[in-house]
Amino acid sequence: ITFASPAVEHVLGYAPEEMVGQNTGGFAHPAEAEAGAEAWAHILARPGEHMTRVARVRHADGEWRWADTSITNLLDNPAVNGVVVNMRDVTERVVEEERNARLTAIISATTDLVVITDRTGRLIYANEACRRFFEIEDEHAEDFLFAPHTPAWARQRYMQEVMPALKEKGTWSGEAAFLRRGVEVLVSLVFMAHRDAQGRLEYVSSVGRDISERKEFEATLE
């Protein structure tokens, strides 16, 4: 490293003079050292080339931070005569993406019906269990509506109980039903309202569970 801008102290915690003279490889995470070396060799062999990568970089406090790095080979530029590396800290973004990926994997694997709709009722997301239940095909997912698959009494409950509760409390839980191939299937449901920064309803998420067998068993016990 022949030069480091003052911003490096904000990103990595080192004073610029501490960076000068260091080798960039010393800041790379051991698990990514080989990939980093390959990327470095690739860019060095191609004057004028530019590449980007996201990798972990050692912070002055000893922690590993995720950095979105832009690397440009300007060795053939007399005014620079070097490789310019620009980076910004994206640790929070990467951690959030990893957390969301774990949650998505869990939601996809559950047998409960997980659904997200916008304020108009348009489908935004349905997990695999929900898609199987309603036989939703990917190419028709955006056009799918729940009303035609809901018996009249359950639609009435949604309008008279669910929507008022979501407006007032933000949540509702209870029992309703869906139609599956024309057959009424009882489900337990939890609805949650999600609002934007101005407090307006942005979308609604719900988790449903088929309780038809449980209801049949309860009836048998009675």
Side-chain angles (χ1 to χ4, degrees), residues 13-47:
Y14 298 95
E17 56 270 21
E18 292 181 273
M19 299 288 288
V20 174
Q22 300 286 335
N23 189 291
T24 55
F27 298 93
H29 192 281
E32 297 157 5
E34 184 175 349
E38 290 177 357
W40 195 253
H42 175 87
I43 200 75
L44 284 176
R46 294 166 175 80

Side-chain angles (χ1 to χ4, degrees), residues 186-216:
L186 291 172
V187 292
S188 65
L189 287 166
V190 177
F191 284 92
M192 291 155 283
H194 304 267
R195 303 184 182 280
D196 60 20
Q198 286 72 43
R200 296 171 299 192
L201 181 64
E202 189 172 13
Y203 59 92
V204 175
S205 62
S206 63
V207 179
R209 178 171 294 177
D210 184 344
I211 57 172
S212 53
E213 289 187 6
R214 193 192 80 191
K215 286 294 186 180
E216 290 176 4

Side-chain angles (χ1 to χ4, degrees), residues 61-196:
D61 61 10
E63 291 188 358
W64 294 99
R65 308 290 293 177
W66 286 97
D68 187 353
T69 307
S70 170
I71 308 170
T72 307
N73 184 338
L74 296 177
L75 286 168
D76 60 348
N77 185 326
V80 181
N81 191 30
V83 177
V84 178
V85 180
N86 295 285
M87 65 173 60
R88 59 191 179 95
D89 190 334
V90 292
T91 303
E92 291 184 5
R93 188 195 78 190
V94 172
V95 170
E96 182 68 14
E97 288 174 350
E98 291 177 344
R99 186 181 73 89
N100 288 339
R102 289 194 296 268
L103 289 175
T104 299
I106 293 170
I107 290 171
S108 298
T110 183
T111 56
D112 290 341
L113 313 180
V114 181
V115 174
I116 300 175
T117 61
D118 65 13
R119 61 170 67 95
T120 66
R122 184 179 64 87
L123 183 64
I124 297 175
Y125 171 81
N127 72 337
E128 184 61 30
C130 182
R131 290 172 181 268
R132 287 198 306 268
F133 185 92
F134 290 105
E135 299 178 337
I136 301 174
E137 297 180 4
D138 289 343
E139 58 268 27
H140 299 134
E142 290 186 359
D143 300 323
F144 182 83
L145 297 173
F146 287 94
H149 301 273
T150 308
W153 68 267
R155 290 201 303 271
Q156 186 176 17
R157 173 168 292 181
Y158 182 79
M159 297 303 299
Q160 295 180 350
E161 296 182 27
V162 178
M163 287 306 295
L166 291 179
K167 290 179 181 178
E168 182 181 351
K169 302 177 182 178
T171 61
W172 181 90
S173 61
E175 295 180 0
F178 290 123
L179 296 173
R180 186 181 190 188
R181 296 183 180 178
V183 178
E184 192 171 296
V185 179
L186 291 172
V187 292
S188 65
L189 287 166
V190 177
F191 284 92
M192 291 155 283
H194 304 267
R195 303 184 182 280
D196 60 20

